[in-house]
Amino acid sequence: EVKDSVRPDAELRLKRSLVLSKFAELEGIVVEEADVEAEVETMAASAGEQADMIRLIFNGEQGKENIKRSLLTRKTFGKLIEITNDLAAYLARRIAESDDLEALPESPELSVVCFRHLPGGRTAAELLDPELLDLYQDRLQRALEVSGEGWVSTTKLRGRTYLRAGVMNPMT
């Protein structure tokens, strides 16, 4: 009974681990022996009087393997974050090139891009009632969600409604 209750979580963890491992392999992400040694020394340096014990534990074969796995996971997630940030920057550049879209801020710091559709282009949108333009963003978000073609949320920035795209998956 206990086995059955933990099985779904264990299967999910295993699948995630296998996907991350394959991604790391495809991206050529590796951990060198020097990386492991540097990590052990960093841990030892912060351990104070226990530094020698840390070195003893993590300089063994099992300890080094644990550190190597941890570093590989960290590097792999770092690459995934880099990819999502690059995709968000690409989206922001495409928005900047368009006359009927605007982003705020123009360049995202992370993987979230807030933008508005400006029907008729920037010049025409300046003549629209701001509240109607906000309502239009809400309706646009809902239509996109209902269509199943994509999903964005809305948010308020500087008192106006913007669409909010959060790039979470590098395959998005």
Side-chain angles (χ1 to χ4, degrees):
E1 188 176 305
V2 173
K3 256 201 257 186
D4 290 339
S5 69
V6 298
R7 184 180 193 95
D9 287 340
E11 287 176 352
L12 182 60
R13 282 193 309 273
L14 178 60
K15 287 176 185 176
R16 285 180 180 161
S17 176
L18 291 171
V19 167
L20 280 176
S21 295
K22 188 64 176 178
F23 177 79
E25 177 187 327
L26 292 172
E27 288 293 317
I29 300 170
V30 295
V31 176
E32 304 293 338
E33 182 67 28
D35 298 329
V36 174
E37 291 170 4
E39 184 70 10
V40 170
E41 284 309 309
T42 298
M43 292 168 56
S46 66
E49 294 178 11
Q50 301 297 317
D52 289 338
M53 181 63 72
I54 293 294
R55 287 186 189 96
L56 181 65
I57 292 170
F58 290 105
N59 276 328
E61 192 168 322
Q62 185 64 44
K64 284 184 178 184
E65 188 57 36
N66 288 340
I67 295 287
K68 186 175 184 176
R69 262 194 316 269
S70 175
L71 289 173
L72 183 62
T73 299
R74 191 183 314 161
K75 283 182 163 189
T76 303
F77 275 111
K79 183 64 176 177
L80 288 167
I81 291 167
E82 178 186 324
I83 290 169
T84 59
N85 289 344
D86 289 349
L87 285 170
Y90 173 75
L91 174 58
R93 284 193 305 276
R94 294 297 306 267
I95 289 169
E97 294 167 0
S98 174
D99 182 54
D100 64 346
L101 295 169
E102 71 174 356
L104 185 67
E106 288 182 22
S107 297
E109 292 182 26
L110 295 173
S111 64
V112 174
V113 179
C114 297
F115 63 99
R116 294 163 40 108
H117 180 249
L118 307 172
R122 294 178 197 279
T123 304
E126 289 176 8
L127 303 174
L128 294 175
D129 177 346
E131 290 182 19
L132 288 177
L133 190 55
D134 287 346
L135 183 60
Y136 174 75
Q137 305 308 311
D138 288 326
R139 289 183 177 160
L140 186 59
Q141 181 275 331
R142 181 69 181 142
L144 184 60
E145 182 179 340
V146 168
S147 76
E149 292 183 37
W151 192 85
V152 294
S153 60
T154 58
T155 190
K156 291 281 189 182
L157 295 173
R158 299 181 185 164
R160 303 280 41 117
T161 301
Y162 281 77
L163 301 169
R164 182 180 183 275
V167 182
M168 303 303 289
N169 178 339
M171 307 315 273
T172 301

